[in-house]
């Protein structure tokens, strides 16, 4: 527990370590789940960048924390901190938290170096800045869970919620208990969760591999479904609300999240089901005016043409082209509410969103 009574990560998603082999950012390798819980020690920034790009570490809030620790890693090692920060910030372009964490840690390093002119002292300062961000995210996760739980009580009468989620938004993406899945966990602990429906989440199966792993870990009643079964599930009346996270939220309230989120929002609107986005205010990028301005990462075609688990067995003929955006963008008019640590934006627009960001300033 920290000084505010907030629990730090319940799973070893990421930690700082300085052992006989030197400093390292130690990750729970998410590419190996659920088959194996294997740790990956990144002992320099190129190794951490590779882990970010291969999704060994992923999820918007955790990427921000990883970015901050990465700057600290370069400083403690005596590497070129400015060059390391540039590498980290560009590792995944859509997730704004990564650049936020890097920028915040780099600012702390520059300020300390300018004031003291001591590289060792500056390294100590930037490591402390990364740890502060880690704890702040844990606090934010706890507050988001509370706000989201309260919103569910308003929107869905009674208990026994049947909730649908996409991708992975729990302890594996956060310094605490997550974003959207943190809200689900709060409902579960209250005895109010009847069923968590989990989209498998193509093409990398973060829902099947990661969210189902977390749900089982916490004893949540859960069922996995193919992404293209979500429409029939909603049509059958078996979903009370859809909860998802976000990797970037534009100033107008448009949200970028794992590809497949936008069609869920369309389906939810058609069937009259609340569609909730849960994300910390660090995911809000007021410098991005709207959804059209969000840079959407395109990933390797092999993630579509081959099975996303080892061995990489082809499922399409050799030479088949693939469209593989990592994210899609949901416009604000399809979002019932955005839940942050500072409260809830509803209706979702530039004014309500900016007010929540200002509340935490």
């Amino acid at each position: 527990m920290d000084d505010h009574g907030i629990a730090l990560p319940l799973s070893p998603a990421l930690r700082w370590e300085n052992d006989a082999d030197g400093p390292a950012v130690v990750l729970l390798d998410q590419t190996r789940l659920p088959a194996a819980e294997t740790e990956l020690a990144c002992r320099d920034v190129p190794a951490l960048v590779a882990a970010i790009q291969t999704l060994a570490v992923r999820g918007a809030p955790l990427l921000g924390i990883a970015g901050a620790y990465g700057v600290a890693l370069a400083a403690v090692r005596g590497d070129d901190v400015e060059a390391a920060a540039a590498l980290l910030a560009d590792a995944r372009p859509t997730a704004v938290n990564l650049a936020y964490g890097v920028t915040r840690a780099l600012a702390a390093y520059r300020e300390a170096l300018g004031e003291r002119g001591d590289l060792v002292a500056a390294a100590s300062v930037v490591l402390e800045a990364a740890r502060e961000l880690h704890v702040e995210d844990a606090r934010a996760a706890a507050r988001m869970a509370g706000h989201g739980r309260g919103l569910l009580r308003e929107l869905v009468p009674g208990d026994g919620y049947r909730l649908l989620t996409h991708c992975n938004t729990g302890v594996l993406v956060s310094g605490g208990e997550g974003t959207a899945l943190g809200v689900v966990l709060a409902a579960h602990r209250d005895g109010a969760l009847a069923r968590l429906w989990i989209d498998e989440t193509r093409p990398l199966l973060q829902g099947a591999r990661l969210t189902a792993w977390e749900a089982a870990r916490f004893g949540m009643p859960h069922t996995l479904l193919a992404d293209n079964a979500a429409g029939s599930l909603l049509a059958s009346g078996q979903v009370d609300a859809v909860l998802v996270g976000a990797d970037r939220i534009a100033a107008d309230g448009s949200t970028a999240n794992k590809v497949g989120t936008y069609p869920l929002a369309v389906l939810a609107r058609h069937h009259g089901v609340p569609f909730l986005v849960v994300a910390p205010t660090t995911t809000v990028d007021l410098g991005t005016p709207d959804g059209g301005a969000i840079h959407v990462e395109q990933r390797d075609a092999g993630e579509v043409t081959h099975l996303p688990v080892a061995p990489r067995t082809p499922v399409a003929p050799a030479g088949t082209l693939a469209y593989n955006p990592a994210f899609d963008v949901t416009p604000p008019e399809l979002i019932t509410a955005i839940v942050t640590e500072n409260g809830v934006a509803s209706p979702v627009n530039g004014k309500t969103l900016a007010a929540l960001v200002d509340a935490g300033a």
Side-chain angles (χ1 to χ4, degrees), residues 222-266:
H222 63 284
T223 301
L224 183 68
L225 63 145
D227 293 2
N228 54 10
S232 62
L233 181 68
L234 282 155
S236 71
Q238 297 185 72
V239 178
D240 297 310
V242 179
L243 286 86
V244 300
D247 287 81
R248 185 182 297 255
I249 301 175
D252 70 339
S254 298
T255 65
N257 194 50
K258 180 65 181 176
V259 67
T261 301
Y262 168 60
L264 276 185
V266 174

Side-chain angles (χ1 to χ4, degrees), residues 302 305-315:
T305 60
H306 291 65
L307 291 176
V309 293
R312 295 291 297 278
T313 306
V315 294

Side-chain angles (χ1 to χ4, degrees), residues 59-284:
L62 194 65
L63 285 176
I65 297 167
Y69 277 121
V71 175
L73 180 62
V76 172
R77 284 172 47 89
D79 296 335
D80 186 331
V81 174
E82 298 285 343
L87 280 175
L88 286 161
D90 291 339
R92 294 199 70 195
T94 304
V96 69
N97 294 69
L98 177 57
Y100 171 83
V102 170
T103 300
R104 177 166 157 172
L106 183 60
Y109 175 79
R110 288 171 173 169
E111 182 179 357
L113 192 60
E115 288 178 353
R116 307 180 191 186
D118 183 334
L119 291 171
V120 174
S124 178
V125 168
V126 71
L127 178 55
E128 183 58 30
R131 286 172 169 152
E132 287 176 2
L133 179 60
H134 197 162
V135 172
E136 286 175 18
D137 188 70
R139 295 175 189 154
R143 291 198 294 267
M144 283 186 289
H147 292 309
R149 180 71 181 97
L151 183 61
L152 280 176
R153 290 190 184 99
E154 294 179 21
L155 295 174
V156 182
D159 284 335
Y161 304 137
R162 300 163 301 172
L163 306 175
L164 172 64
T165 193
H166 191 73
C167 199
N168 172 253
T169 57
V171 296
L172 293 174
V173 308
S174 170
E177 292 188 330
T179 57
L181 204 58
V183 176
V184 177
L185 181 57
H188 172 61
R189 284 177 173 152
D190 287 346
L193 179 66
R195 179 63 43 184
L196 174 62
W197 298 104
I198 302 172
D199 274 353
E200 62 185 348
T201 313
R202 295 297 181 100
L204 294 181
L205 305 180
Q206 285 100 324
R209 294 189 304 104
L210 306 179
T211 301
W213 178 81
E214 290 196 37
R217 197 167 185 266
F218 286 108
M220 298 181 193
H222 63 284
T223 301
L224 183 68
L225 63 145
D227 293 2
N228 54 10
S232 62
L233 181 68
L234 282 155
S236 71
Q238 297 185 72
V239 178
D240 297 310
V242 179
L243 286 86
V244 300
D247 287 81
R248 185 182 297 255
I249 301 175
D252 70 339
S254 298
T255 65
N257 194 50
K258 180 65 181 176
V259 67
T261 301
Y262 168 60
L264 276 185
V266 174
L267 286 164
R269 174 57 57 91
H270 178 74
H271 293 289
V273 172
F275 183 87
L276 312 179
V277 174
V278 186
T281 53
T282 52
T283 304
V284 179

